[in-house]
Amino acid sequence: MDKSKKLSESVIFPKGQKITNDYFIGATWLEMLVSNDSFNCPIGNVTFEPGARNNWHKHPGGQILLVTGGKGYYQEEGKPVQVIKEGDVVKIHPDVKHWHGATPDSWLVHIAISTNPEKGDAEWLEPVTDEEYNNLK
């Protein structure tokens, strides 16, 4: 099986359900691995097709991303974009405005861990425009 096929199937954990809200550009899937019900630590497997990304957003309690496959982008407001790849750990402090998603030529799969979820849900903001995204190269 070629690597892009493996990534499109989400590498380790189930790919989950396609996300259908307005907070993502491009096809993205989510499989919740741990709910917030009893562990107070929601963990989800997120799979982005090439070019897919989420809107700018903030987590009041912070977030940790564990990249399990592919290559993507992570950017905090006012800072240059970072290329993220398999094996990277991204620590996002509370209330830091950021976005993440796949590069144009690669799938991206990461585990998203919501830290301190009792502080509230993510605050979703404006989309990362095609112009912003296409000028990252």
Side-chain angles (χ1 to χ4, degrees), residues 4 7-11 15 17 19 23-30 44-55 57 63 65-73 84 98-112 124 133:
S4 66
L7 288 173
S8 72
E9 295 304 319
S10 204
V11 188
K15 189 173 181 179
Q17 301 299 310
I19 297 173
Y23 306 135
F24 291 79
I25 294 172
T28 308
W29 294 263
L30 171 65
N45 185 59
V46 186
T47 303
F48 297 83
E49 73 176 356
R53 59 206 181 264
N54 52 32
N55 288 6
H57 60 287
Q63 184 181 47
L65 305 177
L66 307 175
V67 183
T68 57
K71 188 168 74 171
Y73 295 133
I84 57 176
H98 68 283
W99 69 272
H100 35 101
T103 61
D105 60 350
S106 177
W107 287 79
L108 173 67
V109 185
H110 68 56
I111 303 297
W124 291 98
Y133 181 82

Side-chain angles (χ1 to χ4, degrees), residues 56 75-80 97:
W56 288 96
Q75 186 174 25
E76 294 180 2
E77 183 178 44
K79 295 186 178 179
K97 184 176 176 181

